[in-house]
Amino acid sequence: MEENKEQAVNATPHYKDSDFEAVVQELQPQLPNAGVDTGAPLFAEPGATSTEPQPGAAMTPPAPPNAMLAGTEGAELPIYGLPKMVQEYIQEVSNVYLCPMQWVTVTVFSAASTAVGSTVTIRNKYENSLSLWFVIVGKSGTNKSAPVKEVLKPLKALQRKYDKDFEECCNTPSVEGGGTATPKTQPRKRIMFNDSTPEMRAQVMQENPHGVLMYRDEIRGFFEDIGRYNKSGEASDLLRIWDNDRLDLARKTQDDIVVDRPFMNVLGSIQPKVMKRVFGNDVFMNDGLNQRIMFSYPPHVELFDPNDAEVQSCVREKWARTVQYLLEFKPNDNMRLSDGANVVYQDYLHHTIEKMRVTDDDYISAIYSKAQIQVLRLAGIVQCMWEAIERHEINRNESMGADWSSYCESLGEISAATMQYAIACMEYFEESAIRVYNAIADPGTGAPPSVAELIKGANSKDLIKEVVRRYQPTMKSISALAEALGVSQPYLSKILKS
């Protein structure tokens, strides 16, 4: 049944009616018969004949997006590229808590990344850790918190163990002096925390080189605190943390804090009505902080009556095993892209560069620039899940899915299938990022997106194909249509072949 739902979602065009109408309006003076549906198929079967348009026939409007699982509309964050036992857990949590599946999925990504931590580095031309920052956007009452807490249970259980061990250690008499150890001399082990000053945050990372998750249910407070304690450079420090660059905090009365390769994930939620106040200031808009955040912002979330369902213990246990596998995951070497994955990634780079070329908006351009890094980190997280499960689970078809071997081609390498899945996820995150930008940008600071931006934006392949389906038969060549749309012929041809 879930497979049928996914097929239905994938078959649904992901463009807006307003976007299509904008393209049609732009084409009116440039294309003959623009606005008239030719009825010609996009790709005709060999020997097939085109259907002639009926005189005076009205243009059929594009179908609206399907209602997604758990009552969302718009592009859904896909889960098909995850191991079967992880997919089952995501679907179970979404169905039980009646929340958008994408909110569960981003929390799974965050928890998996935190469990792996700094033990994995992706090495190609540059080095990248697997740290990512996620923010869930939804109105009050849409059940943002409960599913996140459910997914984080394995990490919270581990943190409770660390806390208990710390307290026991502090209360145990020392061998030499007969006294007790103190918190000042005994580093506190952490896998997650929820609040701190910038100095304490750096100290937590110094004492926990594996990496930590900064989780706050309402993330607003964390971001509003930026600059509250130290206006001279907290935002810059956060940028260095995201980039995994050396963090060096000089202190007057205590030893300096030095973190060679900081690893800190960020996860939390925020309501749309306060986004502008939090993310719309100059620091976030112009220093690149916003673009480093991967937002999960469905345009609509339907509210359901509560139910008495609970997450099945067997499904929850599978997720707990997955997190444990990731905590124990020790790669043989730096993770690299397979040859096939590198081809897919290079194609994605070209695609994002094309998007950057057609926009004059520096903010939008930075979204695509950071996406080039985020997609690598996301692919690394997903690949670690596949490899960690593959090392431990005996019945791989049952726990991973029948196609597991295509994702685990070679240990220590991101497969082409994993990279393709990560790119599909990034199309969702690009769309959410632009939705956030539209919500926080000051009125009048930016013109509506041009047609070139629309047809090169996130999830625009269906839009382009629909335009070609309707108007290519009226043109002399595909190059003429590409010229009318303001894009290169190779770019248009590549989209049509995808």
Side-chain angles (χ1 to χ4, degrees):
M1 181 176 178
E2 295 296 340
E3 183 179 355
N4 293 334
K5 286 184 180 180
E6 186 176 42
Q7 290 174 349
V9 169
N10 291 338
T12 303
H14 287 158
Y15 56 82
K16 302 176 184 176
D17 290 2
S18 59
D19 291 350
F20 184 82
E21 291 168 2
V23 174
V24 170
Q25 185 175 4
E26 180 75 12
L27 294 178
Q28 286 285 354
Q30 303 179 60
L31 297 180
N33 302 321
V36 178
D37 186 359
T38 64
L42 179 61
F43 297 111
E45 296 293 334
T49 58
S50 300
T51 304
E52 293 294 328
Q54 297 298 318
M59 181 176 65
T60 304
N66 268 2
M68 298 298 171
L69 296 179
T72 65
E73 293 179 356
E76 178 61 83
L77 180 60
I79 64 171
Y80 69 83
L82 297 173
K84 182 180 177 181
M85 59 194 289
V86 178
Q87 290 190 43
E88 290 174 349
Y89 178 71
I90 292 172
Q91 292 166 340
E92 175 81 356
V93 173
S94 176
N95 291 333
V96 167
Y97 288 97
L98 301 173
C99 67
M101 195 163 62
Q102 52 203 274
W103 291 351
V104 185
T105 307
V106 298
T107 310
V108 163
F109 288 153
S110 184
S113 169
T114 304
V116 174
S118 60
T119 58
V120 173
T121 299
I122 300 174
R123 185 188 294 273
N124 52 353
K125 185 176 181 179
Y126 306 99
E127 287 188 2
N128 270 287
S129 74
L130 304 186
S131 61
L132 289 172
W133 297 355
F134 293 104
V135 171
I136 293 169
V137 183
K139 295 180 180 179
S140 177
T142 52
N143 212 4
K144 302 186 297 295
S145 303
V148 172
K149 293 176 181 178
E150 160 66 37
V151 177
L152 294 180
K153 281 183 176 179
L155 294 183
K156 289 185 174 183
L158 180 60
Q159 186 59 55
R160 285 194 296 271
K161 179 182 182 301
Y162 288 160
D163 293 342
K164 182 179 179 181
D165 292 345
F166 177 76
E167 295 299 330
E168 290 178 352
C169 181
C170 290
N171 293 325
T172 301
S174 62
V175 176
E176 295 181 357
T180 60
T182 65
K184 291 183 180 179
T185 59
Q186 176 64 43
R188 187 164 196 155
K189 198 169 184 181
R190 298 179 189 270
I191 191 71
M192 59 189 300
F193 65 105
N194 58 23
D195 199 5
S196 69
T197 64
E199 188 174 286
M200 279 300 298
R201 190 161 55 236
Q203 184 173 330
V204 167
M205 286 185 285
Q206 182 188 51
E207 295 175 347
N208 297 273
H210 174 87
V212 290
L213 168 64
M214 203 300 298
Y215 164 66
R216 285 175 72 166
D217 183 16
E218 291 291 340
I219 202 71
R220 166 187 172 183
F222 170 73
F223 288 117
E224 284 185 333
D225 283 346
I226 293 177
R228 173 182 171 188
Y229 300 101
N230 178 10
K231 295 184 181 298
S232 63
E234 185 181 350
S236 297
D237 288 344
L238 283 175
L239 295 179
R240 280 195 289 273
I241 291 171
W242 190 90
D243 294 336
N244 308 124
D245 284 345
R246 178 185 173 91
L247 193 63
D248 194 337
L249 271 64
R251 302 192 292 183
K252 291 183 179 179
T253 59
Q254 300 181 56
D255 294 338
D256 294 349
I257 300 177
V258 178
V259 188
D260 187 45
R261 286 187 62 82
F263 187 106
M264 183 183 77
N265 284 333
V266 175
L267 174 66
S269 63
I270 194 169
Q271 296 183 37
K273 65 182 180 181
V274 300
M275 275 200 308
K276 182 175 175 62
R277 185 166 65 212
V278 177
F279 298 116
N281 63 57
D282 182 69
V283 172
F284 284 88
M285 294 289 289
N286 300 321
D287 286 3
L289 275 171
N290 282 351
Q291 291 88 343
R292 285 169 167 79
I293 300 170
M294 300 170 75
F295 292 94
S296 179
Y297 186 13
H300 171 72
V301 178
E302 185 177 345
L303 300 180
F304 293 93
D305 292 332
N307 59 34
D308 296 327
E310 295 182 3
V311 177
Q312 298 178 70
S313 59
C314 60
V315 178
R316 179 182 286 143
E317 195 271 335
K318 289 179 181 179
W319 171 239
R321 290 206 314 266
T322 300
V323 174
Q324 188 60 41
Y325 297 158
L326 292 169
L327 287 165
E328 299 170 356
F329 186 69
K330 297 293 185 292
N332 297 326
D333 200 354
N334 291 316
M335 186 169 283
R336 298 179 180 274
L337 302 185
S338 69
D339 291 342
N342 190 53
V343 170
V344 175
Y345 177 60
Q346 292 300 319
D347 187 63
Y348 177 72
L349 290 183
H350 293 316
H351 188 56
T352 53
I353 289 171
E354 283 280 351
K355 293 178 182 179
M356 294 164 66
R357 284 174 178 158
V358 301
T359 180
D360 295 326
D361 192 316
D362 290 342
Y363 186 103
I364 297 292
S365 182
I367 290 175
Y368 297 127
S369 176
K370 292 298 174 285
Q372 297 173 352
I373 301 172
Q374 290 162 335
V375 72
L376 280 175
R377 297 184 179 187
L378 188 57
I381 294 167
V382 174
Q383 193 64 45
C384 286
M385 280 194 269
W386 281 105
E387 291 194 14
I389 294 174
E390 192 261 351
R391 291 182 184 186
H392 291 83
E393 294 288 321
I394 298 176
N395 191 344
R396 292 169 180 166
N397 285 349
E398 177 64 26
S399 59
M400 301 174 69
D403 59 344
W404 68 269
S405 59
S406 63
Y407 290 91
C408 298
E409 295 175 339
S410 179
L411 291 179
E413 287 189 345
I414 295 174
S415 67
T418 297
M419 181 56 68
Q420 288 168 343
Y421 168 66
I423 289 172
C425 291
M426 284 310 304
E427 290 180 350
Y428 163 83
F429 287 117
E430 289 170 19
E431 182 180 285
S432 281
I434 293 173
R435 186 175 295 117
V436 168
Y437 177 51
N438 291 335
I440 65 177
D442 288 331
T445 57
S450 66
V451 169
E453 289 171 329
L454 285 174
I455 64 176
K456 288 191 177 182
N459 296 318
S460 60
K461 293 181 180 179
D462 289 330
L463 173 59
I464 295 175
K465 289 180 179 180
E466 182 65 11
V467 170
V468 174
R469 186 187 76 82
R470 294 174 189 268
Y471 305 126
Q472 183 181 359
T474 70
M475 303 298 294
K476 294 181 180 179
S477 65
I478 193 69
S479 61
L481 183 59
E483 182 179 357
L485 292 173
V487 299
S488 67
Q489 181 181 343
Y491 175 82
L492 189 57
S493 299
K494 180 177 68 174
I495 292 298
L496 298 181
K497 293 177 181 177
S498 63

